[in-house]
């Protein structure tokens, strides 16, 4: 591997930042007011639009509430009802299925894309193209695929028939609906995720690759033994973000299947929305949201612990 | 996420309206207290022009009032409305549906209009019989004046009918029964064509490779089935519930309903009608029909003009088939406008509602647009003539009214919850994942809602 300046630059800034904390500690707190002023708008937004609604949702989950008349406190009844609600458990299973397919395919594809971009091209054009699907609104992407995959008129099925393959009801068949939705969203997000990972790849010093090459490692081996392990902190961050985002799948379902066929795509967020906004069971919907919140917090915590996201293996090298 | 966007959009719209209102008042100069902008919502884009025309006429007669019409598609309409109620940005007046207004009335989000009707001496006998009283709740309060009525008929592709060697007269005398489907099913079978050109009633018909289905499918119809199965079930002597309006016991477990659904879904197995997997996702029934994939569909009168606006497809109307009762059947549904309880200007809102319910709007304007049938009796002929001018003979819709074969649409409490249960159950039956016996449990759950 030839050395190149693109890799050298991040190394320098990293070295600098590693040396930074002691110096910063020595400084006076003169910047604090300004720092607070900068943080304030975001903090205010967080409290107003996230913290307060979250706390209120916890309270509402203990009530019977149809929005239009005042909430009535009913204790833990909503949570009790939740345990026996087959649609809630179905929603969890369906959502999990979606997350596994979506994240699994997306992660593999995006790492592959990122490594290809890293090793083969510096072209800004290619990076732009890879990002393109992400720039189209989710709902538009969903609807375009919905029509392209239509059984009778969709272009994909016309193509399948032309190839001599049987037509498929991608969104209409229970077994296919979730994989279809998961892959449509993968298509949209893979470029963005790939760019995040690509940024992570640029953090890896080229000297490591050179050393590996001198030791006689081929591309394949370098990927498994050097690239992937050193990518771990970035991957951890990407995974936490994408997994939580994946659990929150909603709009694609809302504009295509609407939870169907039967309950095959009634993912948890859509179920919550349906309960609240079409059936007026806001208290119960809040209980579901609360459970989902705890679940997602747990998933994120586990991921961070398991992947040791705060540490880097570069220090030891 | 989308819900938030919608409420944001609603809030933005309301903000715009408010500012428009504020700007309008001083400009008018006189009677600033009375002038108002009436925010009016509807879902049917095809009906927007006719109500815009009514709004123009209304504004001319009442210069103080301005009507601002906003349209949301049916799929978004009720959710947007709910979020608007919550965020305080609800319209002053909105087009309402019989299946929805009882919930709104129970929650106090819409205003009763009894006092205004009495004060202004609105003549309720002007409307088609029974329509006005659909908008009176259990406690005797009236919430709307009827603006239109709708029924169900068959729309068929006349080219495909000719290809099948059938004549329009054949389509007018069809009979149906749950045992073998009668002449109705025979016709549907004959209209079905597979990829090899074999018809549904010919030997060698390949039901796995259908090119044109005899009849389209819009969906399972949940617990309503207005254009899907209601005309069969009711011509088989079935009724939705023990009484209408305000039932306490539903009849989804009735053998007459089960045999109707068994027969209807058997059309899927025979390859005469698309499966739920095919029809339930992707383009809708109307578009598939427009693409020549269905020889006929069952449709509501409100969609008629949209079918005639399609390019490259020639359509003709036929009545729904006569059932075992010896009669045809159609749901008789109608819309009305509700006044939001949060309106700033109840007087202006009422003036607009009254105008929408008056001959000046329904007979002079709406009837001529040939989109829907006005609720006012005397406007029907004029609407029929307007349709006739477009080359549409709407007798198959209106004959239900003349022959007394209409059945009022079910009006019940808990309709959203009934729909949730019945969607799941009926979707499963139509997808052939459950048997009609699952209707027993579903009916029990539905009745459980009424205590």
């Amino acid at each position: 591997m030839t050395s190149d300046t693109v890799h050298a630059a991040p190394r320098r800034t990293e070295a600098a930042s590693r040396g930074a904390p002691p110096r910063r500690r020595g400084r006076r707190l003169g910047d604090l007011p300004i720092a607070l002023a900068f943080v304030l708008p975001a903090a205010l937004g967080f409290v107003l639009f996230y913290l307060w609604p979250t706390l209120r949702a916890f309270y509402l989950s203990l009530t019977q509430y149809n929005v239009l008349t005042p909430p009535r406190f009913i204790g833990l009844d909503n949570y009790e009802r939740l345990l026996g609600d087959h649609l809630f458990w179905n929603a969890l299973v369906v959502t999990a299925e979606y997350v596994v397919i979506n994240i699994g395919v997306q992660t593999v594809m995006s790492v592959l894309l990122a490594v290809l971009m890293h090793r083969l091209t510096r072209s800004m054009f290619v990076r732009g193209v890879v990002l393109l699907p992400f720039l189209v609104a989710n709902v538009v992407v969903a609807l375009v695929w919905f029509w392209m995959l239509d059984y009778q008129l969709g272009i994909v099925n016309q193509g399948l028939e032309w190839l001599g393959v049987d037509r498929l009801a991608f969104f209409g068949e229970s077994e296919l609906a979730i994989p279809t939705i998961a892959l449509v969203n993968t298509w949209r997000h893979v470029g963005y995720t790939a760019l995040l990972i690509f940024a992570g790849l640029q953090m890896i010093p080229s000297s490591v690759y050179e050393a590996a090459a001198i030791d006689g490692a081929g591309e394949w081996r370098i990927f498994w033994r050097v690239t992937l392990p050193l990518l771990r902190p970035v991957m951890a961050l990407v995974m936490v973000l994408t997994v939580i985002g994946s659990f929150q799948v909603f709009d694609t379902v809302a504009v295509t299947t609407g939870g169907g066929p039967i309950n095959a795509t009634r993912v948890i967020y859509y179920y919550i929305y349906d309960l609240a906004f079409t059936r007026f069971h806001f208290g119960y919907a809040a209980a579901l949201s609360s459970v989902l919140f705890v679940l997602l917090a747990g998933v994120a915590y586990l991921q961070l612990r398991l992947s040791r996201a705060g540490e880097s293996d570069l220090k030891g090298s | 996420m989308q819900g938030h966007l919608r409420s944001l959009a609603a809030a933005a719209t309301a903000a715009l309206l408010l500012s428009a209102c504020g700007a309008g008042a001083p400009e008018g100069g006189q009677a600033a207290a009375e002038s108002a902008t009436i925010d009016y919502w509807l879902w049917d884009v095809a009906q927007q022009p006719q109500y815009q025309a009514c709004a123009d006429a209304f504004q001319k007669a009442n210069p103080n009032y301005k009507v601002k019409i906003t349209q949301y598609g049916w799929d978004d309409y009720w959710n947007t409305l709910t979020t608007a109620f919550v965020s305080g940005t609800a319209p002053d007046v909105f087009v309402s549906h019989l299946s929805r207004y009882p919930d709104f009335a129970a929650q106090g989000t819409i205003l009763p209009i009894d006092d205004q009707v009495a004060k202004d001496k609105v003549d309720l006998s002007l409307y088609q019989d029974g329509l006005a009283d659909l908008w009176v709740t259990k406690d005797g309060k009236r919430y709307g004046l009827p603006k239109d009525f709708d029924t169900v008929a068959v729309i068929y592709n006349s080219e495909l009918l000719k290809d099948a060697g059938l004549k329009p007269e054949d389509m007018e005398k069809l009979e149906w029964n749950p045992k073998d489907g009668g002449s109705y099913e025979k016709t549907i079978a004959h209209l079905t064509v597979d990829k090899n050109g074999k018809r549904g009633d010919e030997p060698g018909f390949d039901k796995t490779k259908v090119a044109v289905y005899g009849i389209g499918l819009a969906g399972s119809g949940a617990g309503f089935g207005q254009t899907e199965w209601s005309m069969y079930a009711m011509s088989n002597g079935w009724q939705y519930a023990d009484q209408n309006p305000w039932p306490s016991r539903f009849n989804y477990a009735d053998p007459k309903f089960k045999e109707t659904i068994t027969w209807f879904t058997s059309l899927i197995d025979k390859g005469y009608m698309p499966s739920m997997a095919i029809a339930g996702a992707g383009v809708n029934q109307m578009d598939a029909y427009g693409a020549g994939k269905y020889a006929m569909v069952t449709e509501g009168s409100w969609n008629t003009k949209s079918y005639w606006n399609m390019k490259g497809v020639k359509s003709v109307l036929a009545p729904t088939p006569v059932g075992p009762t010896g009669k045809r059947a159609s749901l008789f549904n109608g819309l009305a406008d509700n006044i939001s309880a949060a309106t700033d200007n109840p007087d202006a809102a009422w003036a607009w509602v009254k105008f929408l319910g008056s001959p000046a709007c329904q007979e002079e304007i709406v009837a001529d647009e040939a989109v829907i049938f006005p609720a006012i009796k005397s406007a029907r002929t004029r609407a029929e003539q307007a349709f006739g001018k477009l080359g549409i003979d709407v007798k198959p819709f209106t004959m239900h009214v003349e022959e007394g074969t209409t059945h009022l649409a079910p009006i019940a409490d808990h309709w959203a919850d009934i729909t949730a249960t019945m969607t799941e159950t009926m979707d499963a039956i139509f997808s052939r994942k459950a048997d009609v016996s699952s209707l027993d449990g579903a009916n029990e759950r539905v009745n459980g809602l009424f205590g």
Side-chain angles (χ1 to χ4, degrees):
Chain A
M1 291 296 107
T2 54
S3 73
D4 66 61
T5 49
V6 181
H7 288 158
R11 195 161 43 146
R12 268 204 301 279
T13 50
E14 196 174 43
S17 71
R18 228 180 287 144
R23 247 182 290 151
R24 212 177 275 153
R25 228 172 279 150
R27 261 187 226 158
R28 268 172 256 139
L29 296 177
D31 292 343
L32 190 66
I34 292 176
L36 283 180
F38 275 113
V39 171
L40 196 67
L44 213 69
F46 176 78
V47 171
L48 271 178
F49 298 112
Y50 284 90
L51 194 62
W52 172 243
T54 307
L55 292 175
R56 193 169 148 74
F58 273 120
Y59 160 68
L60 286 177
S61 74
L62 304 173
T63 66
Q64 192 175 47
Y65 182 43
N66 68 7
V67 205
L68 302 164
T69 49
R72 194 166 60 84
F73 189 80
I74 53 165
L76 292 173
D77 283 9
N78 282 329
Y79 290 93
E80 214 178 299
R81 174 176 163 195
L82 186 146
L83 291 176
D85 183 355
H86 76 278
L87 280 177
F88 166 69
W89 298 107
N90 169 71
L92 280 188
V93 172
V94 168
T95 311
E97 193 191 335
Y98 170 85
V99 171
V100 168
I101 299 175
N102 178 235
I103 295 301
V105 177
Q106 180 171 302
T107 308
V108 172
M109 296 278 293
S110 54
V111 168
L112 200 77
L113 265 176
V115 171
L116 285 178
M117 278 195 289
H118 183 59
R119 306 299 279 173
L120 296 180
T121 172
R122 295 270 167 275
S123 159
M124 282 307 276
F125 177 74
V126 170
R127 288 180 219 175
V129 168
V130 164
L131 196 60
L132 214 57
F134 188 72
L135 302 179
V136 184
N138 234 349
V139 169
V140 176
V141 168
L143 282 177
V144 167
W145 279 103
F146 192 49
W147 291 322
M148 289 207 308
L149 295 175
D150 178 73
Y151 184 91
Q152 299 190 87
L153 304 179
I155 190 166
V156 174
N157 270 313
Q158 308 276 8
L160 284 182
E161 196 174 61
W162 186 73
L163 290 171
V165 183
D166 278 347
R167 286 172 181 248
L168 285 170
F170 289 97
F171 282 95
E173 207 73 69
S174 302
E175 296 74 21
L176 289 178
I178 274 290
T180 302
I181 291 174
L183 291 179
V184 164
N185 282 343
T186 300
W187 178 81
R188 178 170 182 267
H189 288 276
V190 73
Y192 178 72
T193 317
L195 278 192
L196 288 180
I197 296 171
F198 178 70
L201 284 174
Q202 293 192 317
M203 305 272 286
I204 300 172
S206 55
S207 57
V208 187
Y209 288 109
E210 285 159 22
I214 290 167
D215 288 348
E219 280 289 330
W220 185 246
R221 211 181 156 96
I222 288 177
F223 172 76
W224 286 106
R225 295 296 169 89
V226 177
T227 311
L228 216 51
L230 290 178
L231 211 51
R232 191 180 37 75
V234 175
M235 287 293 288
L237 177 80
V238 167
M239 287 294 277
V240 170
L241 289 178
T242 54
V243 167
I244 290 178
S246 188
F247 265 103
Q248 295 176 337
V249 57
F250 173 81
D251 32 19
T252 316
V253 171
V255 299
T256 59
T257 59
I262 316 173
N263 294 313
T265 60
R266 199 169 298 278
V267 291
I268 186 93
Y269 261 76
Y270 191 78
Y271 185 43
I272 291 171
Y273 168 79
D274 195 35
L275 278 171
F277 290 95
T278 59
R279 296 172 63 187
F280 297 98
H281 300 303
F282 277 83
Y284 185 49
L288 253 69
S289 307
S290 303
V291 170
L292 186 65
F293 176 79
V294 173
L295 235 133
L296 285 184
V299 168
Y301 176 76
L302 261 180
Q303 278 185 308
L304 288 173
R305 279 301 293 270
L306 288 176
S307 56
R308 298 177 293 131
E311 308 159 25
S312 166
D313 291 331
L314 269 175
K315 272 178 195 164
S317 66
Chain B
M1 210 188 307
Q2 212 177 5
H4 290 246
L5 282 178
R6 280 179 195 150
S7 55
L8 263 181
T13 318
L16 282 172
L17 284 174
L18 285 175
S19 56
C21 182
E27 214 173 274
Q30 88 285 28
E34 276 182 30
S35 70
T37 298
I38 303 156
D39 191 7
Y40 180 59
W41 284 13
L42 46 78
W43 66 76
D44 190 352
V45 71
Q47 294 186 45
Q48 190 167 353
Q50 71 199 28
Y51 290 119
Q52 185 59 56
C54 284
D56 295 343
F58 174 73
Q59 284 166 176
K60 213 175 215 176
N62 304 275
N64 289 340
Y65 297 148
K66 199 177 162 325
V67 178
K68 164 87 170 68
I69 300 182
T70 310
Q71 182 263 337
Y72 295 97
W74 169 264
D75 290 341
D76 303 326
Y77 190 78
W78 302 102
N79 306 333
T80 313
L81 197 59
T82 310
T83 46
F85 277 133
V86 178
S87 59
T89 55
D92 299 292
V93 181
F94 60 94
V95 179
S96 194
H97 196 269
L98 287 171
S99 65
R100 309 279 177 152
Y101 94 92
D103 277 339
F104 289 135
Q107 287 152 356
T109 48
I110 54 176
L111 292 179
I113 55 168
D114 298 274
D115 295 345
Q116 291 93 322
V117 168
K119 201 177 105 223
D120 292 352
K121 300 195 179 62
V122 176
D123 184 2
L124 298 172
S125 67
L126 283 179
Y127 303 110
Q128 292 284 350
D129 298 339
L131 281 187
D133 289 344
L134 293 175
W135 297 90
V136 178
T137 52
K138 263 183 300 194
D139 54 5
K141 286 185 185 147
R142 183 178 302 277
Y143 285 90
L145 298 177
K147 50 198 296 181
D148 61 12
F149 75 81
D150 57 64
T151 55
V152 178
V154 172
I155 298 178
Y156 63 85
N157 183 323
S158 58
E159 293 290 319
L160 296 177
L161 192 82
K162 208 160 63 183
D163 292 348
L166 293 171
K167 295 195 178 63
E169 305 90 81
D170 300 331
M171 298 298 287
E172 281 157 25
K173 301 187 186 84
L174 298 179
E175 288 185 358
W176 166 85
N177 70 68
K179 302 284 177 292
D180 63 5
S183 57
Y184 188 63
E185 180 176 328
K186 285 199 181 76
T187 305
I188 293 172
H190 192 60
L191 285 168
T192 307
V193 189
D194 74 6
K195 291 256 148 45
N196 304 317
K198 283 257 183 297
R199 296 199 168 269
D201 52 1
E202 287 172 3
F205 166 70
D206 183 359
K207 64 181 185 183
T208 63
K209 299 250 187 317
V210 177
V212 178
Y213 289 97
I215 187 167
L217 179 66
S220 76
F224 194 30
Q226 182 175 18
T227 60
E228 291 88 2
W229 42 255
S230 69
M231 53 283 185
Y232 312 127
M234 291 187 303
S235 71
N236 193 25
W238 179 76
Q239 292 296 328
Y240 283 84
D242 56 351
Q243 58 174 39
N244 191 33
W246 316 115
S248 57
R249 285 282 170 272
F250 274 80
N251 295 332
Y252 295 122
D254 188 315
K256 282 185 176 143
F257 183 64
K258 283 184 185 164
E259 65 181 9
T260 302
I261 297 303
T262 303
W263 166 76
F264 188 49
T265 49
S266 78
L267 296 180
I268 296 174
D269 304 334
K270 292 165 189 160
Y272 304 159
M273 183 163 78
S275 67
M276 272 293 276
I278 294 172
V283 300
N284 59 27
Q285 173 175 268
M286 202 188 282
D287 293 334
Y289 172 87
K293 298 288 175 186
Y294 304 150
M296 57 182 260
V297 293
T298 47
E299 259 294 3
S301 50
W302 62 90
N303 273 337
T304 313
K305 202 174 177 181
S306 305
Y307 279 83
W308 261 258
N309 284 343
M310 288 175 178
K311 290 208 169 68
V313 181
K314 275 202 176 139
S315 301
V316 180
L317 286 166
T320 53
V322 173
T325 57
K327 286 181 180 173
R328 307 176 200 284
S330 167
L331 271 180
F332 194 43
N333 198 24
L335 305 178
D337 301 294
N338 286 158
I339 301 176
S340 159
T343 176
D344 295 328
N345 218 318
D347 292 338
W350 163 248
W352 172 232
V353 166
K354 192 171 86 171
F355 185 75
L356 286 166
S358 71
C361 170
Q362 295 194 8
E363 195 161 356
E364 302 298 323
I365 298 169
V366 173
D368 292 343
E369 295 279 330
V371 176
I372 47 126
F373 299 115
I376 289 182
K377 280 183 200 163
S378 56
R380 200 189 89 201
T381 329
R382 189 155 163 173
E384 282 174 352
Q385 283 164 356
F387 275 109
K389 266 186 214 149
L390 299 172
I392 313 172
D393 180 5
V394 289
K395 270 275 170 296
F397 285 121
T398 54
M399 68 193 296
H400 286 295
V401 177
E402 268 159 32
E403 294 174 5
T405 51
T406 56
H407 300 257
L408 291 173
I411 303 168
D413 294 319
H414 311 297
W415 190 255
D417 286 329
I418 294 172
T419 301
T421 297
M422 290 306 292
T423 302
E424 192 184 354
T425 310
M426 294 297 277
D427 279 5
I429 293 172
F430 275 66
S431 305
R432 321 310 277 144
K433 295 220 154 67
D435 187 70
V436 283
S437 61
S438 62
L439 286 165
D440 294 334
N443 197 51
E444 234 165 75
R445 288 202 294 283
V446 166
N447 285 339
L449 294 167
F450 296 87

